[in-house]
Amino acid sequence: MAKSAPSKRDRTRRQLLDAAVKVFAAHGVEAATIQEIAAVAGVANGTFYNYFQTKEGIMEAAAVAVGVDYCKRIAASAAHLPDGAERMSIGGRRYMVMALEQPELARFTMSVAVFSPIWAAQVEPFIRADLMLGIRQKRFHVASVPAAMDMITGTNYAAINSILAGRAGKSHVATISATILRGLGMAPDDADEIARRPLPPMPPMARE
């Protein structure tokens, strides 16, 4: 069955989210204004408030939208790979590659990821799915799933911040990935080999 076309309200909301990503990435959270977001979206200031009450509200929604879309693309790129350990490695490395190649976008998404319960509810399940797959396959051996999730997300977020701050470069990507796999109970040689496998191509960004 064909997917129905998005409604006018859905299209306008997507325009606002796309505009917010551009404005926040270009100018930073503090300097961005609601007026500029509305202008880039091509809508009146009053229209903005029909969808979002504050700048912080659209900031969170836009970052989560980017994160969910990015995770869906990562998952699609790894759909042909059965190994939960390799899928885990690909997900973390992709976000570090974003920090290297699109630092403004990574800085914006990380400004929300570290505190947002909506990010945790909508983005982190992609990580958990790979974790649980690796556990079922006996690739990972963890004391608890919540502790493993904290280790994975905390290490990845810290690595992304190190890259954004200029304290780490390209070589950090595989090293951090291998460190996480070791922390999940994998043998060092196995973890190192998986962390250095080529990344599969990413499908293009979704557009409604």
Side-chain angles (χ1 to χ4, degrees):
M1 189 165 121
K3 184 179 177 181
S4 60
S7 66
K8 183 177 185 302
R9 181 171 180 81
D10 289 341
R11 290 196 303 272
T12 302
R13 187 176 190 276
R14 183 69 197 207
Q15 285 173 227
L16 284 164
L17 292 175
D18 287 345
V21 171
K22 292 175 183 175
V23 173
F24 284 126
H27 304 301
V29 172
E30 294 300 323
T33 66
I34 287 172
Q35 291 76 15
E36 186 173 6
I37 292 170
V40 172
V43 302
N45 290 344
T47 300
F48 175 95
Y49 291 103
N50 290 332
Y51 294 83
F52 302 98
Q53 294 184 347
T54 63
K55 183 174 78 170
E56 291 72 22
I58 195 170
M59 178 181 78
E60 184 174 32
V64 169
V66 170
V68 170
D69 179 71
Y70 201 62
C71 284
K72 286 180 178 178
R73 292 166 62 206
I74 293 169
S77 77
H80 64 293
L81 299 171
D83 184 8
E86 185 169 9
R87 293 168 69 96
M88 175 67 71
S89 174
I90 289 167
R93 283 187 288 155
R94 274 295 178 194
Y95 268 92
M96 285 183 275
V97 169
M98 180 200 284
L100 288 166
E101 297 180 351
Q102 298 176 280
E104 296 85 2
L105 184 61
R107 190 171 286 108
F108 166 57
T109 56
M110 285 301 101
S111 71
V112 169
V114 295
F115 72 84
S116 168
I118 300 176
W119 178 282
Q122 296 192 26
V123 176
E124 291 183 9
F126 289 91
I127 304 170
R128 182 182 289 268
D130 291 338
L131 172 63
M132 299 310 295
L133 177 60
I135 291 172
R136 290 194 302 272
Q137 293 172 337
K138 302 190 184 305
R139 298 285 271 162
F140 301 150
H141 306 277
V142 303
S144 80
V145 170
M149 284 294 296
D150 283 349
M151 186 271 291
I152 295 163
T153 56
T155 304
N156 273 320
Y157 294 171
I160 290 167
N161 285 330
S162 290
I163 292 170
L164 292 174
R167 297 190 299 268
K170 187 176 181 181
S171 64
H172 206 52
V173 175
T175 303
I176 288 292
S177 180
T179 300
I180 289 171
L181 294 178
R182 291 185 189 200
L184 293 171
M186 297 191 72
D189 288 349
D190 199 9
D192 292 348
E193 188 274 325
I194 289 172
R196 287 167 173 77
R197 290 178 185 173
L199 290 168
M202 285 269 277
M205 185 177 294
R207 276 291 173 266
E208 295 180 6

mmCIF file of all heavy atoms in Angstrom, residues 120-141:
data_model
loop_
_atom_site.group_PDB
_atom_site.id
_atom_site.type_symbol
_atom_site.label_atom_id
_atom_site.label_comp_id
_atom_site.label_asym_id
_atom_site.label_seq_id
_atom_site.Cartn_x
_atom_site.Cartn_y
_atom_site.Cartn_z
ATOM 1 N N ALA A 120 16.895 10.213 24.522
ATOM 2 C CA ALA A 120 17.100 8.899 25.126
ATOM 3 C C ALA A 120 16.008 7.920 24.715
ATOM 4 O O ALA A 120 16.268 6.743 24.470
ATOM 5 C CB ALA A 120 17.155 9.028 26.646
ATOM 6 N N ALA A 121 14.769 8.418 24.611
ATOM 7 C CA ALA A 121 13.644 7.539 24.283
ATOM 8 C C ALA A 121 13.604 7.158 22.813
ATOM 9 O O ALA A 121 13.158 6.053 22.459
ATOM 10 C CB ALA A 121 12.330 8.224 24.679
ATOM 11 N N GLN A 122 14.070 8.038 21.919
ATOM 12 C CA GLN A 122 13.903 7.793 20.490
ATOM 13 C C GLN A 122 15.188 7.389 19.766
ATOM 14 O O GLN A 122 15.121 6.709 18.739
ATOM 15 C CB GLN A 122 13.310 9.036 19.823
ATOM 16 C CG GLN A 122 11.908 9.365 20.306
ATOM 17 C CD GLN A 122 11.225 10.416 19.451
ATOM 18 O OE1 GLN A 122 11.518 10.584 18.272
ATOM 19 N NE2 GLN A 122 10.292 11.143 20.030
ATOM 20 N N VAL A 123 16.329 7.803 20.269
ATOM 21 C CA VAL A 123 17.596 7.511 19.590
ATOM 22 C C VAL A 123 18.319 6.326 20.216
ATOM 23 O O VAL A 123 18.799 5.429 19.512
ATOM 24 C CB VAL A 123 18.506 8.756 19.577
ATOM 25 C CG1 VAL A 123 19.859 8.422 18.952
ATOM 26 C CG2 VAL A 123 17.830 9.895 18.809
ATOM 27 N N GLU A 124 18.381 6.300 21.539
ATOM 28 C CA GLU A 124 19.152 5.245 22.191
ATOM 29 C C GLU A 124 18.602 3.827 21.973
ATOM 30 O O GLU A 124 19.375 2.856 22.065
ATOM 31 C CB GLU A 124 19.325 5.567 23.666
ATOM 32 C CG GLU A 124 20.243 6.766 23.869
ATOM 33 C CD GLU A 124 20.525 7.105 25.318
ATOM 34 O OE1 GLU A 124 20.136 6.304 26.202
ATOM 35 O OE2 GLU A 124 21.133 8.165 25.564
ATOM 36 N N PRO A 125 17.305 3.622 21.663
ATOM 37 C CA PRO A 125 16.866 2.259 21.340
ATOM 38 C C PRO A 125 17.605 1.623 20.159
ATOM 39 O O PRO A 125 17.716 0.393 20.093
ATOM 40 C CB PRO A 125 15.373 2.441 21.027
ATOM 41 C CG PRO A 125 14.965 3.590 21.894
ATOM 42 C CD PRO A 125 16.146 4.530 21.847
ATOM 43 N N PHE A 126 18.116 2.433 19.244
ATOM 44 C CA PHE A 126 18.901 1.875 18.142
ATOM 45 C C PHE A 126 20.190 1.238 18.695
ATOM 46 O O PHE A 126 20.610 0.175 18.231
ATOM 47 C CB PHE A 126 19.255 2.961 17.125
ATOM 48 C CG PHE A 126 18.089 3.458 16.319
ATOM 49 C CD1 PHE A 126 17.336 4.544 16.742
ATOM 50 C CD2 PHE A 126 17.743 2.839 15.120
ATOM 51 C CE1 PHE A 126 16.258 5.006 15.989
ATOM 52 C CE2 PHE A 126 16.673 3.294 14.365
ATOM 53 C CZ PHE A 126 15.927 4.376 14.800
ATOM 54 N N ILE A 127 20.806 1.896 19.664
ATOM 55 C CA ILE A 127 22.012 1.352 20.298
ATOM 56 C C ILE A 127 21.666 0.092 21.084
ATOM 57 O O ILE A 127 22.366 -0.926 21.001
ATOM 58 C CB ILE A 127 22.646 2.401 21.234
ATOM 59 C CG1 ILE A 127 22.944 3.696 20.478
ATOM 60 C CG2 ILE A 127 23.910 1.849 21.895
ATOM 61 C CD1 ILE A 127 23.346 4.852 21.382
ATOM 62 N N ARG A 128 20.590 0.168 21.827
ATOM 63 C CA ARG A 128 20.177 -0.972 22.640
ATOM 64 C C ARG A 128 19.894 -2.204 21.771
ATOM 65 O O ARG A 128 20.204 -3.340 22.167
ATOM 66 C CB ARG A 128 18.935 -0.615 23.464
ATOM 67 C CG ARG A 128 18.464 -1.738 24.395
ATOM 68 C CD ARG A 128 17.201 -1.306 25.129
ATOM 69 N NE ARG A 128 17.486 -0.290 26.111
ATOM 70 C CZ ARG A 128 17.767 -0.540 27.385
ATOM 71 N NH1 ARG A 128 17.778 -1.786 27.816
ATOM 72 N NH2 ARG A 128 18.005 0.448 28.224
ATOM 73 N N ALA A 129 19.315 -2.001 20.590
ATOM 74 C CA ALA A 129 19.014 -3.132 19.709
ATOM 75 C C ALA A 129 20.280 -3.878 19.316
ATOM 76 O O ALA A 129 20.317 -5.118 19.316
ATOM 77 C CB ALA A 129 18.271 -2.643 18.464
ATOM 78 N N ASP A 130 21.343 -3.130 18.987
ATOM 79 C CA ASP A 130 22.614 -3.774 18.634
ATOM 80 C C ASP A 130 23.241 -4.444 19.856
ATOM 81 O O ASP A 130 23.828 -5.527 19.752
ATOM 82 C CB ASP A 130 23.579 -2.759 18.036
ATOM 83 C CG ASP A 130 23.137 -2.266 16.665
ATOM 84 O OD1 ASP A 130 22.365 -2.970 15.999
ATOM 85 O OD2 ASP A 130 23.566 -1.160 16.271
ATOM 86 N N LEU A 131 23.110 -3.800 21.014
ATOM 87 C CA LEU A 131 23.626 -4.394 22.248
ATOM 88 C C LEU A 131 22.935 -5.727 22.535
ATOM 89 O O LEU A 131 23.595 -6.736 22.815
ATOM 90 C CB LEU A 131 23.429 -3.428 23.413
ATOM 91 C CG LEU A 131 23.733 -3.977 24.814
ATOM 92 C CD1 LEU A 131 25.204 -4.357 24.932
ATOM 93 C CD2 LEU A 131 23.346 -2.952 25.887
ATOM 94 N N MET A 132 21.614 -5.742 22.456
ATOM 95 C CA MET A 132 20.870 -6.962 22.767
ATOM 96 C C MET A 132 21.155 -8.062 21.744
ATOM 97 O O MET A 132 21.217 -9.247 22.104
ATOM 98 C CB MET A 132 19.367 -6.663 22.827
ATOM 99 C CG MET A 132 18.971 -5.657 23.905
ATOM 100 S SD MET A 132 19.634 -6.022 25.554
ATOM 101 C CE MET A 132 18.800 -7.573 25.909
ATOM 102 N N LEU A 133 21.341 -7.681 20.480
ATOM 103 C CA LEU A 133 21.701 -8.665 19.462
ATOM 104 C C LEU A 133 23.047 -9.301 19.808
ATOM 105 O O LEU A 133 23.209 -10.531 19.748
ATOM 106 C CB LEU A 133 21.758 -8.009 18.084
ATOM 107 C CG LEU A 133 22.205 -8.898 16.924
ATOM 108 C CD1 LEU A 133 21.268 -10.094 16.748
ATOM 109 C CD2 LEU A 133 22.282 -8.076 15.623
ATOM 110 N N GLY A 134 24.027 -8.475 20.170
ATOM 111 C CA GLY A 134 25.337 -9.004 20.531
ATOM 112 C C GLY A 134 25.295 -9.896 21.761
ATOM 113 O O GLY A 134 26.027 -10.894 21.844
ATOM 114 N N ILE A 135 24.429 -9.564 22.718
ATOM 115 C CA ILE A 135 24.275 -10.405 23.905
ATOM 116 C C ILE A 135 23.668 -11.749 23.528
ATOM 117 O O ILE A 135 24.137 -12.815 23.974
ATOM 118 C CB ILE A 135 23.420 -9.674 24.969
ATOM 119 C CG1 ILE A 135 24.196 -8.486 25.546
ATOM 120 C CG2 ILE A 135 23.015 -10.634 26.081
ATOM 121 C CD1 ILE A 135 23.369 -7.602 26.465
ATOM 122 N N ARG A 136 22.614 -11.727 22.694
ATOM 123 C CA ARG A 136 21.981 -12.984 22.274
ATOM 124 C C ARG A 136 22.961 -13.870 21.505
ATOM 125 O O ARG A 136 22.921 -15.102 21.612
ATOM 126 C CB ARG A 136 20.743 -12.697 21.416
ATOM 127 C CG ARG A 136 19.575 -12.109 22.181
ATOM 128 C CD ARG A 136 18.295 -12.172 21.374
ATOM 129 N NE ARG A 136 18.385 -11.476 20.100
ATOM 130 C CZ ARG A 136 18.118 -10.181 19.939
ATOM 131 N NH1 ARG A 136 17.747 -9.444 20.986
ATOM 132 N NH2 ARG A 136 18.198 -9.613 18.745
ATOM 133 N N GLN A 137 23.829 -13.243 20.740
ATOM 134 C CA GLN A 137 24.803 -13.993 19.952
ATOM 135 C C GLN A 137 26.020 -14.409 20.784
ATOM 136 O O GLN A 137 26.934 -15.055 20.255
ATOM 137 C CB GLN A 137 25.263 -13.140 18.768
ATOM 138 C CG GLN A 137 24.179 -12.864 17.747
ATOM 139 C CD GLN A 137 24.608 -11.866 16.684
ATOM 140 O OE1 GLN A 137 25.521 -11.052 16.893
ATOM 141 N NE2 GLN A 137 23.966 -11.917 15.530
ATOM 142 N N LYS A 138 26.011 -14.019 22.081
ATOM 143 C CA LYS A 138 27.125 -14.306 22.991
ATOM 144 C C LYS A 138 28.427 -13.656 22.534
ATOM 145 O O LYS A 138 29.527 -14.141 22.828
ATOM 146 C CB LYS A 138 27.299 -15.823 23.193
ATOM 147 C CG LYS A 138 26.046 -16.498 23.735
ATOM 148 C CD LYS A 138 26.321 -17.918 24.151
ATOM 149 C CE LYS A 138 25.038 -18.619 24.596
ATOM 150 N NZ LYS A 138 24.337 -17.897 25.669
ATOM 151 N N ARG A 139 28.273 -12.541 21.814
ATOM 152 C CA ARG A 139 29.437 -11.717 21.446
ATOM 153 C C ARG A 139 29.780 -10.763 22.577
ATOM 154 O O ARG A 139 30.934 -10.396 22.751
ATOM 155 C CB ARG A 139 29.132 -10.933 20.165
ATOM 156 C CG ARG A 139 28.867 -11.790 18.948
ATOM 157 C CD ARG A 139 30.157 -12.373 18.423
ATOM 158 N NE ARG A 139 30.782 -11.467 17.459
ATOM 159 C CZ ARG A 139 32.063 -11.551 17.108
ATOM 160 N NH1 ARG A 139 32.852 -12.436 17.667
ATOM 161 N NH2 ARG A 139 32.553 -10.715 16.196
ATOM 162 N N PHE A 140 28.768 -10.345 23.325
ATOM 163 C CA PHE A 140 28.953 -9.439 24.446
ATOM 164 C C PHE A 140 28.650 -10.169 25.746
ATOM 165 O O PHE A 140 27.731 -11.001 25.809
ATOM 166 C CB PHE A 140 28.028 -8.227 24.333
ATOM 167 C CG PHE A 140 28.208 -7.405 23.079
ATOM 168 C CD1 PHE A 140 27.139 -6.716 22.526
ATOM 169 C CD2 PHE A 140 29.442 -7.306 22.457
ATOM 170 C CE1 PHE A 140 27.298 -5.943 21.381
ATOM 171 C CE2 PHE A 140 29.616 -6.548 21.319
ATOM 172 C CZ PHE A 140 28.543 -5.864 20.770
ATOM 173 N N HIS A 141 29.375 -9.813 26.785
ATOM 174 C CA HIS A 141 29.167 -10.379 28.117
ATOM 175 C C HIS A 141 29.211 -9.207 29.094
ATOM 176 O O HIS A 141 30.277 -8.666 29.384
ATOM 177 C CB HIS A 141 30.250 -11.409 28.428
ATOM 178 C CG HIS A 141 30.376 -12.473 27.381
ATOM 179 N ND1 HIS A 141 29.561 -13.588 27.333
ATOM 180 C CD2 HIS A 141 31.203 -12.569 26.304
ATOM 181 C CE1 HIS A 141 29.887 -14.333 26.297
ATOM 182 N NE2 HIS A 141 30.880 -13.737 25.645
#
